[in-house]
Amino acid sequence: MAGARPKLAILREQGVNSHVEMSYAMHHAGFETYDVHMSDLQAGRARLDQFHCLVACGGFSYGDVLGAGLGWARTILMHDGCRDQFAAFFQRPDTFALGVCNGCQMMSALKSIIPGAEHWPAFRRNQVEQFEARFVMTEILDSPSIFFAGMEGSQVPIVVSHGEGRAVFDNSDDQGKVLSAVRYVDNKGEPTEVYPYNPNGSPGGLTAVTTADGRFTIMMPHPERVFRTV
């Protein structure tokens, strides 16, 4: 229906602090946004079948201790009701989702229930062994991701804010088959593994991946922190 605003869940967990910016950005992109805490899903106050899309937000879930995104994923995988809700959401043909920072880590750990995500990497400790918060330059790659449609070839400055953003693959076969969506580039526009242009040491500068149908995308940088053109 013309003028319809799809219902989007702004998903957060304990400690996530970028949900307000994400809601604002998605509202301006044309969505009707709803604040959904994981405790809402666990208690039945909200259900994922109410939404066509969700964004798993970033910003220090569980105090950003080591494996913070993995901890978030386990609250889903080890809770039968939540696991079933997420699995059903990902299986529906009319849904899509984005994971950012901690949400990226969380969704990568859910790849066993996300169709087409079997080659996704995990995100581990930055190679420089410290938290990185800075502007970096990225290149949007040609990929199926619906979030980057028509943007391929663009080079865009963006904020990173993470201690565990290095993409680590289970094996070389997965690295060769993953669908890359965004990578870090240096000041000459070339893909890089050199610090600080690449803040975490991900191979080939990789910082976002997607699925073959483009419905599910995860990325470490924070697009919601740089969407205002001022």
Side-chain angles (χ1 to χ4, degrees), residues 62-203:
Y62 293 104
D64 211 37
V65 297
L66 292 178
L70 183 58
W72 185 356
R74 284 175 175 160
T75 67
I76 296 168
L77 295 173
M78 299 178 71
H79 186 288
D80 290 342
C82 280
R83 181 189 175 95
D84 291 346
Q85 279 197 65
F86 276 85
F89 178 90
F90 293 132
Q91 288 290 339
R92 283 166 48 196
D94 62 343
T95 60
F96 56 94
L98 174 68
V100 173
C101 198
N102 283 155
C104 169
Q105 297 168 331
M106 181 272 279
M107 283 182 60
S108 76
L110 295 185
K111 66 181 182 180
S112 62
I113 61 172
I114 301 176
E118 62 272 12
H119 302 299
W120 283 2
F123 292 86
R124 305 299 190 206
R125 187 74 172 163
N126 294 346
Q127 198 169 59
V128 292
E129 293 290 332
Q130 66 183 17
F131 175 82
E132 287 292 317
R134 61 174 70 242
F135 268 113
V136 295
M137 185 65 77
T138 59
E139 180 184 14
I140 310 300
L141 302 175
D142 185 8
S143 81
S145 176
I146 63 174
F147 294 96
F148 301 117
M151 295 178 65
E152 55 272 10
S154 300
Q155 294 191 350
V156 184
I158 195 168
V159 168
V160 293
S161 183
H162 60 255
E164 297 180 324
R166 179 171 54 92
V168 177
F169 291 89
D170 290 339
N171 53 65
S172 58
D173 187 55
D174 282 347
Q175 185 170 347
K177 291 181 178 179
V178 75
L179 293 173
S180 305
V182 183
R183 63 186 176 188
Y184 300 115
V185 294
D186 61 20
N187 56 2
K188 296 180 180 178
E190 298 297 326
T192 183
E193 297 179 7
V194 177
Y195 179 85
Y197 308 109
N198 179 332
N200 51 51
S202 287

